[in-house]
Amino acid sequence: MDFKRIEIIFLVVFACLDIFLFVSYQQNQNIEMIDSSVSRNTTIKREMSNDQVTTPHLSSKTYTGYYLASKPNRTLQEQSERLTGQRVTFNDNRLYGHFYNSISARSNLRLINQLKEIMKNEHQILHGDQYRYSREFSTADRLVFTQKISEGDLYDEAGELVFQVNDNHQVTNYQQTYINRLTTLREKEQTISAKQAVQDLYTDNEISSGATIKWTSVGYSRLLDVNNSSVYIPAWFIAIESKNSGNIQIKRINAFTGALMKNNNDNSLATTSSN
């Protein structure tokens, strides 16, 4: 057999062997990473169970999201002349409306349905069709509607519609903020899942023993303010009920990094409330 041919055969065999070994190494690395992740999740789940932390079913589904930015706007002020049947004032781009005739119903459920109909009328609520009722963020005396954006829901005080309810199930006034334009800053990125967000919150010692996770919800929330603009990212909102007090505290988790986002007065949705 020709020596040159034998040499080529050996080279091909060694090349195939190198490829095989490389692929095997990569597969083993992936398996180790998966095993490590599964082991970590199992350990955290066991620790949460030992601490008697109760959770609903937590999805492992991930999403994609963006870094978004908006600037303050005067849309509500400029369009407020359309409104009828109410007195309107403003403070820092927030509209305060006081109805001349109160809206009433026998229950909050019926009241919510009435408000949804009223919100379809541009002469009563500006851009009302761009808000969605949020059961999670509402209370008996505060019905919250969050602004809808093309990328999802906006969970921030800069885009909300809040109706105040008195003891007689009557609404006489409301507050509204509105974001009229959002700019995409970066390409979309993958978020963590609800399950991962709760686990990150637990490992950061933000969930006490005996606590109950009431619900989780993902929406865009303010990350920071810079150069007269606000930057928004997807965030997991997690409601935690204390075993001792029964109060529910809502915490925010950066849905990109899993880091805790400190609550402040600029986000009225991230707060503490009673059951």
Side-chain angles (χ1 to χ4, degrees), residues 4-172:
K4 188 69 174 179
R5 187 177 179 185
I6 295 175
E7 184 180 22
I8 293 173
I9 292 173
F10 271 105
L11 288 174
V12 170
V13 170
F14 278 116
C16 291
L17 181 61
D18 286 341
I19 293 172
F20 172 77
L21 291 175
F22 176 76
V23 171
S24 298
Y25 173 77
Q26 288 293 103
Q27 289 178 337
N28 287 334
Q29 287 291 98
N30 290 337
I31 291 173
E32 287 179 5
M33 289 178 64
I34 294 173
D35 287 343
S36 176
S37 177
V38 171
S39 176
R40 178 180 179 274
N41 290 338
T42 302
T43 299
I44 295 175
K45 185 176 181 180
R46 186 187 307 116
E47 291 176 352
M48 291 177 68
S49 177
N50 291 339
D51 278 343
Q52 298 181 327
V53 175
T54 304
T55 66
H57 171 72
L58 297 171
S59 174
S60 297
K61 181 180 178 180
T62 60
Y63 303 88
T64 56
Y66 301 86
Y67 281 82
L68 303 174
S70 74
K71 291 183 177 295
N73 69 90
R74 296 177 55 83
T75 300
L76 296 180
Q77 290 96 318
E78 293 168 354
Q79 299 177 353
S80 61
E81 61 183 20
R82 302 180 190 175
L83 297 172
T84 60
Q86 58 190 279
R87 183 179 71 254
V88 175
T89 57
F90 291 92
N91 184 15
D92 292 334
N93 296 319
R94 179 177 289 267
L95 182 154
Y96 294 84
H98 185 91
F99 296 115
Y100 295 139
N101 297 313
S102 63
I103 303 163
S104 61
R106 293 183 178 179
S107 67
N108 272 12
L109 179 59
R110 293 184 179 183
L111 194 55
I112 291 166
N113 290 331
Q114 284 195 47
L115 292 173
K116 287 179 179 178
E117 289 300 314
I118 290 171
M119 289 165 60
K120 296 177 182 178
N121 187 339
E122 188 74 5
H123 295 290
Q124 293 188 292
I125 301 294
L126 295 173
H127 305 288
D129 60 343
Q130 296 183 37
Y131 295 83
R132 189 197 321 270
Y133 173 67
S134 175
R135 179 178 59 85
E136 291 87 356
F137 296 117
S138 297
T139 61
D141 60 354
R142 190 172 181 268
L143 303 179
V144 178
F145 291 75
T146 56
Q147 188 176 342
K148 298 178 292 184
I149 56 177
S150 59
E151 294 79 8
D153 289 315
L154 185 66
Y155 292 165
D156 191 84
E157 62 94 30
E160 64 180 8
L161 179 59
V162 182
F163 296 93
Q164 302 295 332
V165 184
N166 62 26
D167 294 337
N168 297 318
H169 295 291
Q170 294 177 326
V171 170
T172 59

Side-chain angles (χ1 to χ4, degrees), residues 225-237:
D225 294 316
V226 58
N227 295 332
N228 199 36
S229 293
S230 297
V231 178
Y232 300 88
I233 61 168
W236 281 103
F237 283 67

